C-alpha cells in the first residue's frame, strides 16, 4: 500500500515541526541537567521525570498526526509503534520517580532499560517511515539509543556513577531530531530524500 503525496507531505510537515521542538527541548534539558548531574536534587529529579513525560506528549502528537494525515501505508503503519512508545515512556516516568529515591545508580538502570527498549521502537517506526525521507537519522538514533542504554546500565555499577552521560545522550538525540527535521524539509522541497 502506498501513501499519496499530500498525506506524506502533511505528515512530513508535522514531523518537521515536532522534530524541531524535540531538538529545542533536548538542548535546554541537557543544558539544565549538566551542572547538576553528579547528584540527585529537586531540579535533577524534576528533569529526569520530565524527559520521558515529554517523550509521551511528543509521541501522542506524532501518532495523531500520522493517523489524521495518512490514509494508510508507511506513515499510518507507524502509529502502533508510537503508542507502544507512549506506554513505555509513561511507565519509565513512573519508574524513574521511584528510582530517584534510591540514587543515581538506580536512575541509570531504569534510564538504560528505557533507552534500549525505546531505541528498538524508534528503529521500527523510522524503518516504517523510510519512504517519507529524512528517517535515516532516526534509524541511526534508535541504534545508538540501544547501545547507549546498555552503557548506562553498565555505568550504574560504577562507584562514581553520574547522570552527565544521560545529558549527553539527550543532546545527541536532539541533534538527530534536528537532522531529520532538516532532511524532511529537503524532502518536501525536492520531492525525494
Amino acid at each position: 500500500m502506498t501513501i499519496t503525496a499530500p498525506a506524506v507531505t502533511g505528515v512530513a510537515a508535522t514531523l518537521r515541526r515536532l522534530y524541531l521542538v524535540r531538538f529545542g527541548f533536548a538542548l535546554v534539558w541537557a543544558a539544565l541537567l549538566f551542572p547538576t548531574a553528579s547528584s540527585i536534587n529537586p531540579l535533577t529529579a524534576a528533569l529526569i521525570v520530565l524527559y520521558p513525560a515529554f517523550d509521551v506528549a511528543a509521541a501522542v502528537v506524532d501518532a495523531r498526526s500520522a493517523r489524521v494525515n495518512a490514509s494508510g501505508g508507511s506513515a499510518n503503519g507507524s502509529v502502533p509503534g508510537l503508542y507502544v512508545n507512549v506506554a513505555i515512556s509513561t511507565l519509565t516516568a513512573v519508574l524513574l520517580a521511584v528510582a530517584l529515591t534510591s540514587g543515581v545508580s538506580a536512575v541509570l538502570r531504569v534510564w538504560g532499560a528505557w533507552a534500549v527498549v525505546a531505541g528498538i521502537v524508534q528503529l521500527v517506526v523510522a524503518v516504517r517511515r523510510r519512504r517519507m525521507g529524512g528517517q535515516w537519522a532516526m534509524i541511526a538514533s534508535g541504534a545508538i539509543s540501544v547501545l547507549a542504554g546498555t552503557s548506562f546500565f553498565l555505568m550504574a555499577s560504577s562507584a562514581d556513577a553520574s547522570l552527565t552521560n544521560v545529558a549527553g545522550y539527550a543532546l545527541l538525540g536532539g541533534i538527530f531530531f534536528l537532522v531529520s527535521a532538516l532532511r524532511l524539509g529537503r524532502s518536501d522541497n525536492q520531492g525525494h530524500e
Side-chain angles (χ1 to χ4, degrees):
M1 195 178 280
T2 60
I3 298 175
T4 61
V8 171
T9 302
V11 173
T14 301
L15 281 179
R16 185 174 46 254
R17 285 188 300 274
L18 180 61
Y19 288 176
L20 288 171
V21 167
R22 291 192 76 163
F23 164 71
F25 175 81
L27 183 67
V28 170
W29 186 89
L32 291 171
L33 185 65
F34 268 123
T36 64
S38 61
S39 65
I40 304 289
N41 61 51
L43 175 61
T44 306
L47 288 169
I48 290 296
V49 174
L50 177 62
Y51 196 91
F54 183 83
D55 192 58
V56 168
V60 167
V61 168
D62 192 346
R64 284 184 180 165
S65 170
R67 201 173 59 238
V68 168
N69 288 312
S71 59
S74 63
N76 204 23
S78 63
V79 173
L82 292 167
Y83 284 127
V84 167
N85 188 51
V86 166
I88 292 166
S89 295
T90 300
L91 177 61
T92 298
V94 171
L95 293 175
L96 283 169
V98 172
L100 283 162
T101 64
S102 298
V104 171
S105 292
V107 169
L108 283 171
R109 284 185 189 95
V110 172
W111 196 282
W114 176 47
V116 169
V117 175
I120 292 168
V121 171
Q122 184 177 14
L123 272 166
V124 170
V125 169
V127 166
R128 286 179 175 252
R129 287 180 165 167
R130 70 188 176 283
R131 289 185 185 164
M132 290 175 54
Q135 293 301 301
W136 68 266
M138 292 294 92
I139 292 168
S141 179
I144 290 169
S145 185
V146 171
L147 296 173
T150 303
S151 73
F152 294 144
F153 204 82
L154 297 172
M155 278 185 241
S157 300
S158 173
D160 59 344
S162 162
L163 299 172
T164 302
N165 289 334
V166 169
Y169 163 79
L171 187 57
L172 181 60
I175 291 168
F176 278 112
F177 278 115
L178 177 62
V179 170
S180 277
L182 296 174
R183 293 291 298 165
L184 282 166
R186 272 186 68 195
S187 296
D188 274 358
N189 295 334
Q190 296 176 353
H192 58 80
E193 185 169 8

